[in-house]
Amino acid sequence: MSSTPYALLNPGRVIAGPGSIEQLTELAQGFFQARRVLIISDKGVAAAGLVNAPLQQLQAAGLQVSLIASTPPEPDVADVQAIEAEARAAGPFDLVVGIGGGSAMDVAKIIAVLLAHPLDLRELLSKKADITARGLPTVMVPTTSGTGSEATPNSIILVAEDELKVGIVSARLMPDAVILDARLTLTLPPAVTASTGMDALTHAIECYCSKKANPFSDLYALEAIRLIARSIRRAVHQGDDLQARADLLLGAYWGGVCIATSSTTAVHALAYPLGGKYRMPHGLSNAILLPSIMAFNQVGSEVRFAAMARAMALPVEGLSDGEAASAFVQALRDLNHDLGVPATLRSLNIQPADLEGLVDGAAKVTRLLDNNPRPLSRDDMRALYAALI
């Protein structure tokens, strides 16, 4: 539990429910009084037609709309700089809308700042510069139920030369509005639904365990765990189940709120090198690492782990906290198995020769390692990776 002051950061306005994407025009025109709108998305989302209706609705209302749908799955500095250059050439804009997964939303948030202020992306990433004022207004529209980027003050960008993802974190990146329309997630393939949903669950679990955990993050984390645990299997195996999709999307949002008020921990720290060097999808790396690192973290945190077991509706009544904590960790392993998540990194071609590089990369993510409830030495990290290779 945090022993220092804590804060609750939330987007200014959240609109949720099936069909809520239809309120984007009213938001843009009525609430933000925008005339020129930039939509940032990715090729997959655009190819699925998920940007068509909102783009056409904005245009029908008389707004000028530019679409940049080139965000890659793991955007690096060059990718973001190219999008910034394209946006500057097409601008100016009054509003930035991010439609897609975490990468598209992370890019949309930082582009909104870069378009409004004379800041250099590399200087922000190296901490040589700070975001001192809010950028253009932003609306985030997630099409996956995972990253929670729509609710966080974070923008995660790959620094290719360091083979590591780096987070730009500032309260001034918090979105101005969010639209949570589960209909936009109905066509998400099972494997992507599984990995992004496990990403969302990881956020809630880590934030509940974090040294920065507080009454705000506790409230949202336990609710996120409850919603995700009851819905993720149905969302993966019965993708047209709108109620399951809605629960998963809301759980992912609450997970993002947790990140904003608490923080993730060692799972994300050890996942970052897997994404940075091997371009492994972020949710997948988190899912594979989660059970092993939670088994490590349960020592000394049995009471909190028992609370998470109850939030997952596990049959732990009458068990000691330690027994409930172990049941919780086993439930995570069972969940991965049921969702088809690989049990090892070796199955994804991570080899023993990669071990030291992974440890070196993870050790640099002190921002998250310092939040872990149980300290990790390099030997601990090496053992956790090695057990999965």
Side-chain angles (χ1 to χ4, degrees), residues 143-168:
T143 60
T144 65
S145 302
T147 69
S149 177
E150 68 274 10
T152 74
N154 303 355
S155 181
I156 309 299
I157 297 169
L158 173 64
V159 180
E161 60 269 27
D162 293 336
E163 297 182 331
L164 192 66
K165 289 182 172 182
V166 176
I168 300 173

Side-chain angles (χ1 to χ4, degrees), residues 290-364:
L290 180 64
S292 297
I293 295 179
M294 287 305 113
F296 178 88
N297 280 346
Q298 78 177 81
V299 177
S301 297
E302 289 84 0
V303 172
R304 291 206 148 235
F305 274 58
M308 292 190 289
R310 291 189 290 272
M312 284 189 75
L314 299 180
V316 295
E317 185 176 355
L319 298 183
S320 68
D321 288 338
E323 291 169 333
S326 295
F328 173 74
V329 173
Q330 183 58 47
L332 297 179
R333 299 189 192 281
D334 294 342
L335 182 56
N336 271 350
H337 178 269
D338 292 348
L339 299 180
V341 174
T344 68
L345 293 171
R346 180 183 285 273
S347 63
L348 297 169
N349 204 34
I350 307 298
Q351 303 295 325
D354 302 317
L355 192 56
E356 289 308 313
L358 290 172
V359 174
D360 288 342
K364 296 177 183 177

Side-chain angles (χ1 to χ4, degrees), residues 45-70:
V45 170
L50 298 180
V51 300
N52 294 348
L55 188 151
Q56 292 165 4
Q57 290 165 11
L58 291 169
Q59 291 176 329
L63 282 70
Q64 297 182 53
V65 186
S66 295
L67 170 64
I68 300 177
S70 57

Side-chain angles (χ1 to χ4, degrees), residues 6-19:
Y6 49 90
L8 177 63
L9 296 176
N10 267 323
R13 176 173 292 202
V14 182
I15 303 171

Side-chain angles (χ1 to χ4, degrees), residues 182-204:
R183 295 189 314 180
L184 301 180
T185 70
L186 286 172
T187 58
L188 206 63
V192 180
T193 302
S195 63
T196 55
M198 287 303 296
D199 188 23
L201 183 60
T202 299
H203 295 156

Side-chain angles (χ1 to χ4, degrees), residues 21 23-41 51-69 83 86-99 108 111-112 115 136-141 177 179:
I21 188 60
Q23 298 191 39
L24 176 60
T25 298
E26 181 181 346
L27 262 182
Q29 196 171 39
F31 190 73
F32 294 110
Q33 299 184 325
R35 295 183 179 182
R36 294 176 59 92
V37 179
L38 170 64
I39 296 178
I40 293 180
S41 189
V51 300
N52 294 348
L55 188 151
Q56 292 165 4
Q57 290 165 11
L58 291 169
Q59 291 176 329
L63 282 70
Q64 297 182 53
V65 186
S66 295
L67 170 64
I68 300 177
I83 292 172
E86 186 175 351
R88 289 190 182 280
F93 298 102
D94 308 309
L95 177 68
V96 177
V97 179
I99 302 179
I111 290 295
L115 292 180
L136 298 177
T138 55
V139 179
M140 297 296 125
V141 185
I179 294 176

